[in-house]
């Protein structure tokens, strides 16, 4: 597996609380992505980054924000978690070609 | 908007049989088509990919074919084994080489011993 870690791996939180998920890579890859995976929906892109402090929205960005202050770290924040954000969140990275994406181990988030 | 359709959503085969999963895409600029395998509770793993300048690519028991005119591509697994049981996702890049991936909704493959 590519050098990608995610933390935490599991989290249970309550509606209305802020939550931050971290993705850390040791590959020095330029591109980083956050996806959510839900039954029947496959993988949907939330936000992505094409460099330090360079980010853009994906297909399902509402309710999420991201930050990338270092090449190796990409943070996903839920400012005020809702039950609809209960999901498995995957981080992915890709290098110069951008096409080949490699996924982290995932974070299972439950919002009660 | 652009999308990738994947069929079937579930597929059950006997060990040793072949399995075929098909995907269609809508963006004519797409030129990269990866396939991922995801075992239960694990991360998606890239197993094979194809670019639009070739029509077929093989890697041992798996192969992918691409028909650019019809905008569809397929994953073929021969001599299936129980360890091939997983969810398989196809994807295509939206907007060409610098585009993000759009994923199909997945196919759950079950290989019965």
């Amino acid at each position: 597996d590519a050098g990608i870690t995610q933390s935490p791996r599991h989290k249970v939180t309550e509606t209305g609380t802020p939550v931050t998920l971290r993705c850390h890579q040791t590959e020095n890859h330029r591109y980083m992505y956050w996806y959510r995976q839900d039954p029947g929906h496959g993988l949907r892109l939330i936000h992505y980054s094409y460099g330090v402090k360079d980010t853009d929205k994906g297909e399902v960005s509402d309710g999420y924000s991201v930050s990338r202050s270092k090449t190796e770290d990409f943070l996903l924040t839920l400012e005020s978690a809702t039950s609809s954000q209960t999901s498995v969140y995957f981080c992915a990275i890709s290098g110069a070609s951008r096409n080949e994406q490699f996924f982290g181990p995932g974070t299972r988030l439950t919002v009660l | 908007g652009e999308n990738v359709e994947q069929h079937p959503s579930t597929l059950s085969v006997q060990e040793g049989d072949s399995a075929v999963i098909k995907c269609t895409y809508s963006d004519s600029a797409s030129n990269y088509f990866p396939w991922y395998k995801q075992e239960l509770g694990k991360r998606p793993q890239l197993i094979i990919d194809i670019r639009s300048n070739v029509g077929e690519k093989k890697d041992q028991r798996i192969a992918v074919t691409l028909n650019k005119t019809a905008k569809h591509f397929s994953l073929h697994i021969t001599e299936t084994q129980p360890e091939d049981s997983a969810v398989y996702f196809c994807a295509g890049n939206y907007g060409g080489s610098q585009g993000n991936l759009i994923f199909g909704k997945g196919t759950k493959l079950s290989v019965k011993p």
Side-chain angles (χ1 to χ4, degrees):
Chain A
D1 292 328
I4 315 169
T5 57
Q6 293 184 230
S7 59
R9 295 293 313 280
H10 302 270
K11 185 171 182 67
V12 180
T13 191
E14 294 189 350
T15 298
T17 60
V19 176
T20 295
L21 309 182
R22 180 181 183 237
C23 177
H24 179 78
Q25 59 143 332
T26 58
E27 305 295 321
N28 200 34
H29 279 355
R30 177 182 177 187
Y31 298 96
M32 299 185 75
Y33 310 82
W34 277 107
Y35 291 90
R36 60 177 290 173
Q37 184 174 41
D38 305 288
H41 289 279
L43 292 152
R44 293 182 292 173
L45 182 65
I46 304 171
H47 282 279
Y48 65 100
S49 170
Y50 46 95
V52 174
K53 298 186 179 179
D54 291 325
T55 65
D56 206 347
K57 296 179 179 180
E59 176 189 3
V60 290
S61 60
D62 287 349
Y64 302 94
S65 62
V66 290
S67 66
R68 192 170 178 196
S69 59
K70 298 184 290 184
T71 298
E72 57 266 36
D73 290 325
F74 192 32
L75 304 180
L76 177 70
T77 298
L78 291 65
E79 299 291 346
S80 177
T82 67
S83 58
S84 65
Q85 294 175 312
T86 292
S87 187
V88 179
Y89 291 85
F90 285 100
C91 173
I93 64 174
S94 62
S97 76
R98 185 165 185 176
N99 290 176
E100 295 178 347
Q101 292 188 20
F102 300 95
F103 285 82
T107 294
R108 183 173 295 276
L109 176 68
T110 302
V111 183
L112 302 176
Chain B
E2 305 298 347
N3 69 330
V4 174
E5 298 279 348
Q6 183 172 348
H7 298 281
S9 57
T10 60
L11 179 60
S12 182
V13 300
Q14 287 294 132
E15 182 177 359
D17 288 349
S18 295
V20 180
I21 303 170
K22 299 181 179 181
C23 290
T24 59
Y25 60 97
S26 58
D27 183 7
S28 57
S30 297
N31 59 9
Y32 174 72
F33 307 94
W35 285 89
Y36 287 82
K37 175 184 180 182
Q38 186 178 28
E39 297 176 352
L40 189 62
K42 304 292 186 180
R43 73 186 78 190
Q45 297 267 20
L46 178 65
I47 57 171
I48 194 168
D49 56 16
I50 190 168
R51 299 183 188 275
S52 59
N53 57 344
V54 299
E56 184 175 6
K57 184 177 180 180
K58 290 183 179 180
D59 183 2
Q60 299 183 340
R61 294 187 297 107
I62 61 173
V64 57
T65 58
L66 171 65
N67 183 325
K68 288 176 57 180
T69 302
K71 293 184 185 173
H72 66 70
F73 56 109
S74 301
L75 178 70
H76 304 253
I77 306 174
T78 59
E79 301 173 18
T80 54
Q81 301 168 3
E83 51 265 39
D84 294 328
S85 296
V87 178
Y88 292 81
F89 292 95
C90 64
N93 58 347
Y94 166 60
S97 298
Q98 295 305 307
N100 294 319
L101 294 180
I102 297 177
F103 287 82
K105 294 183 178 180
T107 296
K108 183 177 181 180
L109 174 64
S110 299
V111 180
K112 300 182 184 304

